[in-house]
Amino acid sequence: MTEDVRADIDHYLRALDNAPEVFRRSWDAVAIYDLEGRVLRGNAAARSIVGAGRAAELQGSHFSAHMTLAAATRAARDFAHCVTLGQTVESDGVFLDAQGQPVPVRIRLVPARVRGRIVGVIGFARDSRGRRDVEAQFMRSEQQFRSLFENHPDSLALLDLDGRFLRVNAATERLYGYSVEELIGQTPAMLGIGGYDEGVDRAALERGETQEFERPIRTKSGTIREINGRRVPLHVDGVVRGFCGIARDVTEERRAARSSARQATRIAELYRIAAAAGVAQEERVTAALEAGRSELGAQWAYVARTTDDGFEISYSAGVKPEGDPAGNELESEDLFVEGRRYGTVAFVQRGDPLTMTAIDRDYMRALAVLIGSAIQQGERSKRLDSLAFSDALTGLPNRALLQDRLEQTLLAARRHRRSFAAHYVDLDHFKSINDTYGHHVGDGVLIAVAAWLRSVLRDSDTIARIGGDEFVVLQPEIDSPRQAEELAARLCGIRDQTLHVGARDIAVTISVGCAVFPIDAENPVDMLKAADAALYDVKHRGRDGYSVGTVS
């Protein structure tokens, strides 16, 4: 160490002797180091950490002597940074006490300057083992209070009991956007930002009670922020003279909480749609699209299935914008069914694009999974229905599906107070066709008859093969028995047709027996019995005709 540096150090140490609040009486452990890291002096708090005897031994030693090896390694790096760059450095460290036991401390290294030149380093250390009352501790020492107050990451403000700002820290300036000069002497209400003085219970403060608050504020730039915090009474000579307002910006935290709550509500609604009993695939998909469209603020939502020619829209919700959907602003998510890409689910907004957050995109993915699952279940259900409720030869509904359709038709008829008809159809002399041409030709005749019968029926009518050469036609809505008779007559028109079965042209006739609800029967079983009885009547009369119970 050069003589001039030594002289500057001595000058610095004498200055500290004249500042007892800063050095000797400081609640923090303070040590002065030269540029090589040797201990020049330590205060009482420093000696209390390492022990008085140990402190005497450390005089003139390198700082690593009173630290663990790992902590000394980190401190050496911070020390060099402080000396070379002249910047204050904070870190956690570990001291060794008189018994060699580790003491966790918070360290702050500050360059010691004399006439602008760095002549050493001041080390501040605080024992981290116990938590002291922050307000009480720092009000006893102006130096310590200033350090905490100015550098605290939360907004700290001292106010009198009338709510006027007396002192604010840098975090308060950053939070509100106002400078110290603009805040001092004013109240939050006068600045139009709300806050500490709204809802203040002055009597409770004077009794020394801490108050908690949470509210929105308006910053100088007009931005709305949300804060929460506490009002802590400040005692001077045993009397409450004001309070310290401690505030923290929780805008993003609250926004995230609201987003999470909204997402939970969204997902719960999707689960409700997915778990709804007795809902058809089409209704489930449409309900999911409508929920997504509403939540995301879209004008139109649709499911597009990929085809060889491009895509086709299979489901939609909302109002379709004019023009090509792909020409409008949209957000989309791939849709998978049974592990294969089915197409996309898309949300369209005319004009301004949709604003999508990460949570919105997670919601879209969940929505796509639900829709894909609903479509997959629907496809499987259709395949199962085809196997369980279709006649293998003709592809017509079988007896089980007819029974279900008949029951549904009867319920609808009762609800709407209307009538319907059931026609029992039987091929005439079908056994002779099998005997003459063989069963393979007989099967071809049944297929051809089924095709012809379908051709003369409406889309709303149901035709089922219930066994052998027997068919049933369900006419779900008629105004009078005469309409049932007209359909039966059309069915018998097959006599004028020539059926092409392989290389053969075959002519057939049929017999039709019809029952009308509620005139002939009032339940599914009796309806078929009545139709069968009418069919027997036709057979008895010589076949190739029809009989309607109410008009025959």
Side-chain angles (χ1 to χ4, degrees):
M1 182 184 302
T2 62
E3 290 298 326
D4 56 342
V5 172
R6 182 64 192 182
D8 286 340
I9 282 288
D10 291 340
H11 174 78
Y12 195 83
L13 296 176
R14 287 194 300 272
L16 289 177
D17 290 337
N18 296 322
E21 290 294 334
V22 175
F23 186 68
R24 292 200 307 274
R25 301 175 191 170
S26 173
W27 287 69
D28 285 338
V30 182
I32 311 299
Y33 303 91
D34 64 16
L35 293 174
E36 283 72 39
R38 292 187 291 266
V39 179
L40 300 179
R41 184 177 299 181
N43 68 350
R47 291 193 294 272
S48 69
I49 291 180
V50 300
R54 177 66 174 154
E57 297 174 4
L58 292 174
Q59 192 74 22
S61 299
H62 192 267
F63 60 74
S64 59
H66 60 78
M67 304 180 74
T68 63
L69 179 59
T73 301
R74 292 194 300 271
R77 183 185 62 243
D78 295 340
F79 192 92
H81 186 88
C82 179
V83 170
T84 56
L85 299 181
Q87 295 179 353
T88 298
V89 181
E90 290 191 15
S91 64
D92 291 315
V94 181
F95 285 181
L96 297 174
D97 63 13
Q99 288 74 41
Q101 296 300 311
V103 178
V105 292
R106 181 66 179 172
I107 300 171
R108 182 184 179 98
L109 300 178
V110 179
R113 287 184 172 87
V114 175
R115 291 184 289 274
R117 179 171 63 176
I118 298 175
V119 298
V121 172
I122 308 173
F124 297 88
R126 180 170 301 166
D127 189 337
S128 301
R129 289 176 297 183
R131 184 176 180 178
R132 301 181 179 94
D133 185 326
V134 174
E135 291 81 8
Q137 174 188 352
F138 282 93
M139 286 301 291
R140 292 172 185 169
S141 170
E142 177 63 21
Q143 182 68 27
Q144 292 175 334
F145 174 75
R146 181 182 296 112
S147 175
L148 172 66
F149 188 87
E150 296 298 339
N151 298 304
H152 202 285
D154 291 338
S155 167
L156 300 182
L158 302 183
L159 301 94
D160 61 23
L161 288 175
D162 293 323
R164 289 188 294 267
F165 286 115
L166 302 177
R167 186 173 183 175
V168 298
N169 69 350
T172 302
E173 294 182 83
R174 292 192 297 270
L175 176 59
Y176 294 125
Y178 291 90
S179 67
V180 173
E181 292 76 15
E182 291 174 307
L183 291 172
I184 298 303
Q186 304 297 322
T187 67
M190 289 176 63
L191 294 169
I193 57 177
Y196 307 124
D197 61 337
E198 293 186 11
V200 174
D201 186 343
R202 178 165 177 162
L205 284 173
E206 291 177 342
R207 291 194 301 268
E209 298 175 7
T210 296
Q211 300 174 15
E212 295 187 356
F213 63 88
E214 181 164 337
R215 66 181 69 255
I217 63 167
R218 186 184 299 278
T219 67
K220 184 178 180 179
S221 65
T223 304
I224 302 299
R225 311 296 293 175
E226 294 181 61
I227 62 171
N228 75 353
R230 293 176 297 160
R231 303 183 187 97
V232 181
L234 297 179
H235 298 262
V236 178
D237 297 329
V239 179
V240 175
R241 302 295 185 184
F243 61 93
C244 177
I246 307 172
R248 183 166 60 94
D249 187 347
V250 294
T251 305
E252 299 306 322
E253 180 181 327
R254 296 294 182 267
R255 183 175 298 156
R258 287 192 293 269
S259 295
S260 296
R262 183 180 179 187
Q263 189 77 328
T265 302
R266 287 172 165 181
I267 299 302
E269 174 64 11
L270 294 186
Y271 276 121
R272 186 194 67 76
I273 294 172
V279 178
Q281 165 201 339
E282 292 79 5
E283 295 179 43
R284 201 183 302 275
V285 174
T286 302
L289 282 176
E290 181 57 35
R293 187 194 66 78
S294 176
E295 283 293 333
L296 299 174
Q299 181 179 343
W300 188 49
Y302 65 87
V303 170
R305 182 170 188 171
T306 303
T307 66
D308 293 338
D309 299 327
F311 70 92
E312 61 180 12
I313 295 175
S314 49
Y315 305 91
S316 67
V319 180
K320 179 182 178 181
E322 296 180 1
D324 184 1
N328 296 302
E329 297 289 349
L330 60 86
E331 295 288 342
S332 62
E333 188 70 31
D334 286 342
L335 204 59
F336 292 89
V337 174
E338 295 184 340
R340 297 187 299 274
R341 189 175 183 277
Y342 176 90
T344 58
V345 53
F347 298 89
V348 180
Q349 180 63 41
R350 184 73 173 176
D352 294 336
L354 294 172
T355 301
M356 300 290 289
T357 65
I359 290 181
D360 289 336
R361 295 194 179 281
D362 287 342
Y363 174 66
M364 278 187 62
R365 283 189 283 271
L367 193 67
V369 170
L370 168 61
I371 291 175
S373 176
I375 293 175
Q376 179 171 300
Q377 290 176 5
E379 296 293 334
R380 288 178 178 175
S381 178
K382 289 178 181 177
R383 288 197 296 271
L384 290 175
D385 286 348
S386 178
L387 293 174
F389 301 113
S390 297
D391 173 53
L393 178 64
T394 63
L396 295 176
N398 60 13
R399 184 184 292 273
L401 183 54
L402 172 68
Q403 186 68 27
D404 179 74
R405 297 263 179 96
L406 184 57
E407 290 174 357
Q408 295 301 320
T409 301
L410 188 143
L411 290 175
R414 286 176 176 169
R415 184 166 58 251
H416 298 291
R417 299 180 181 276
R418 66 193 184 202
S419 184
F420 72 92
H423 303 261
Y424 221 122
V425 179
D426 185 80
L427 267 70
D428 298 330
H429 307 296
F430 180 67
K431 182 177 183 301
S432 65
I433 294 176
N434 279 333
D435 292 343
T436 302
Y437 302 111
H439 286 281
H440 65 287
V441 174
D443 288 345
V445 169
L446 291 174
I447 294 171
V449 169
W452 188 86
L453 292 175
R454 270 198 300 254
S455 71
V456 300
L457 296 176
R458 299 173 301 177
D459 290 340
S460 59
D461 298 333
T462 295
I463 178 172
R465 182 188 177 209
I466 60 174
D469 60 334
E470 295 178 335
F471 300 83
V472 171
V473 173
L474 189 60
Q475 192 176 5
E477 186 175 351
I478 60 175
D479 296 326
S480 69
R482 184 61 60 187
Q483 285 182 293
E485 182 182 11
E486 291 171 353
L487 175 60
R490 286 202 306 274
L491 296 178
C492 289
I494 197 172
R495 70 170 71 90
D496 302 322
Q497 306 297 316
T498 299
L499 304 182
H500 304 289
V501 181
R504 301 180 183 278
D505 292 335
I506 298 177
V508 299
T509 61
I510 63 173
S511 299
V512 181
C514 178
V516 176
F517 172 86
I519 300 173
D520 298 318
E522 296 186 354
N523 62 68
V525 174
D526 290 343
M527 282 289 291
L528 293 181
K529 285 182 178 179
D532 190 35
L535 175 66
Y536 179 80
D537 181 60
V538 176
K539 296 281 189 180
H540 183 71
R541 293 202 308 259
R543 299 181 173 85
D544 187 17
Y546 62 86
S547 174
V548 179
T550 57
V551 295
S552 58

